[in-house]
């Protein structure tokens, strides 16, 4: 299928590794242009420097207003067609193992910047009467995960915001969707495995094997598989899909609406 992404322009947050990197590579392979955002500008340049005609780089943390302003300026200079909201997760822990400092910092890390950036950029897409907004969250928004209290809470809040925004601008040609990944072979899964290993007093390999055994397809996902779904949701072909939270989890969610 031709996704018709040639010469379209997308902002990819957290593009230096994991899902962000995979989505950026997929879009670039489809002929799209990208604005790649990450704290590690040197990593972005190493990985994407050869795409100099298609990729521009913004180095900085999305938690800082300065970085959000740079993103805003980048889309004012040239047209853009969509954005991928993506960043790392908060610390692990059960409810009683957290304190208010954890909640305050996790609100900043998981939720606040996404709302801030969405409110800056959505009006520009509405004005054009076309756009794609995609939030990368977690399967925990459908089925809370043990010891991921902060992620369970704030990612669910992002879904509530995304759904509300989708309903408000659905008739303006702008879609808003959420992808809810399960366990994938990305750097982010390492901290979850290490946490499970520590909690259960077992080796890292045993904790990883237990995680895989609980996935119906009996393997972890690949970032490239996830990125292909993301690319379709960012394409013109997905115009009738909005306000949805779509799992990519190998069948892990037990509910019938998983």
């Amino acid at each position: 299928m031709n996704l018709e992404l040639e010469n379209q322009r997308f902002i990819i947050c957290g593009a230096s590794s994991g899902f962000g990197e995979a989505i950026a590579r997929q879009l670039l392979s489809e002929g799209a242009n990208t604005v790649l955002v990450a704290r590690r500008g040197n990593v972005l340049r190493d990985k994407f420097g050869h795409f100099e005609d298609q990729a521009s780089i913004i180095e900085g943390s999305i938690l800082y207003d300065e970085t959000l302003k740079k993103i805003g300026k980048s889309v004012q200079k040239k047209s853009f067609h969509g954005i991928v909201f993506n960043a790392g997760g908060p610390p692990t822990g059960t409810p009683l193992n957290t304190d208010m400092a954890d909640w305050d910092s996790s609100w900043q890390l998981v939720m606040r910047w996404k709302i801030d950036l969405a409110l800056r950029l959505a009006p520009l897409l509405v004005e054009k009467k076309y756009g794609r907004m995609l939030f990368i969250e977690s399967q925990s928004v459908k089925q809370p995960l043990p010891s991921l209290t902060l992620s369970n809470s704030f990612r669910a809040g992002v879904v509530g915001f995304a759904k509300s925004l989708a309903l408000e601008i659905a008739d303006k040609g702008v879609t808003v969707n959420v992808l809810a990944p399960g366990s994938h072979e990305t750097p982010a899964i390492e901290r979850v495995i290490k946490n499970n290993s520590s909690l259960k007093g077992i080796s890292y390999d045993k904790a990883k094997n237990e995680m895989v055994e609980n996935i119906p397809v009996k393997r972890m996902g690949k970032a490239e598989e996830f990125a292909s779904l993301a690319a379709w949701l960012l394409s013109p072909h997905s115009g009738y899909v909005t306000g949805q939270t779509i799992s990519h989890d190998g069948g892990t969610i037990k509910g019938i609406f998983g």
Side-chain angles (χ1 to χ4, degrees):
M1 176 185 288
N2 179 4
L3 293 181
E4 302 180 66
L5 292 171
E6 295 88 350
N7 299 318
Q8 291 204 4
R9 190 162 175 259
F10 298 92
I11 300 162
I12 313 296
C13 299
S16 62
S17 68
F19 294 132
E21 178 184 352
I23 293 171
R25 291 190 182 281
Q26 182 68 39
L27 293 177
L28 289 165
S29 73
E30 297 284 345
N33 297 315
T34 59
V35 178
L36 307 176
V37 185
R39 291 173 299 170
R40 301 178 297 168
N42 60 319
V43 175
L44 290 177
R45 286 185 284 273
D46 288 344
K47 292 183 176 182
F48 297 101
H50 57 294
F51 287 104
E52 57 183 19
D53 293 333
Q54 288 178 260
S56 59
I57 291 172
I58 293 178
E59 181 176 357
S61 169
I62 40 78
L63 301 184
Y64 298 150
D65 186 65
E66 178 184 358
T67 305
L68 301 187
K69 285 180 178 177
K70 287 180 180 178
I71 294 172
K73 288 180 180 178
S74 76
V75 300
Q76 290 171 358
K77 292 178 181 178
K78 297 180 180 179
S79 64
F80 83 110
H81 300 82
I83 178 170
V84 177
F85 299 85
N86 172 62
T92 59
T94 62
L96 296 182
N97 287 333
T98 64
D99 57 32
M100 289 313 300
D102 295 324
W103 289 92
D104 290 340
S105 61
S106 296
W107 149 250
Q108 299 280 341
L109 176 63
V110 181
M111 194 172 181
R112 188 191 186 284
W113 73 267
K114 295 171 186 173
I115 296 173
D116 190 346
L117 190 55
L119 294 179
R120 295 176 192 231
L121 299 185
L124 301 177
L125 296 173
V126 167
E127 184 179 355
K128 288 181 50 180
K129 299 189 183 308
Y130 181 87
R132 300 288 182 261
M133 305 180 77
L134 183 60
F135 293 82
I136 310 303
E137 300 304 327
S138 166
Q139 66 179 3
S140 67
V141 302
K142 293 189 175 184
Q143 185 170 288
L145 299 173
S147 300
L148 291 182
T149 300
L150 297 166
S151 180
N152 294 341
S153 303
F154 286 111
R155 291 193 188 280
V158 173
V159 171
F161 170 76
K163 182 71 171 183
S164 301
L165 179 60
L167 294 173
E168 183 176 7
I169 62 178
D171 64 343
K172 303 298 190 297
V174 183
T175 67
V176 185
N177 290 293
V178 178
L179 277 179
S183 300
H184 287 68
E185 294 281 4
T186 66
I189 201 67
E190 299 297 318
R191 67 187 181 88
V192 178
I193 298 173
K194 289 177 180 177
N195 181 68
N196 290 342
S197 171
S198 177
L199 286 174
K200 296 180 179 181
I202 58 178
S203 69
Y204 176 93
D205 289 340
K206 183 172 177 57
K208 183 176 182 178
N209 289 337
E210 285 186 358
M211 183 178 291
V212 170
E213 281 302 308
N214 285 324
I215 303 172
V217 301
K218 302 304 179 187
R219 68 173 177 86
M220 291 193 183
K222 299 176 182 178
E224 295 77 16
E225 294 173 308
F226 182 85
S228 66
L229 176 55
W232 182 81
L233 286 169
L234 292 167
S235 79
H237 296 279
S238 65
Y240 202 59
V241 179
T242 194
Q244 303 304 304
T245 298
I246 303 170
S247 304
H248 192 268
D249 65 350
T252 304
I253 300 299
K254 302 299 191 294
I256 61 173
F257 297 112

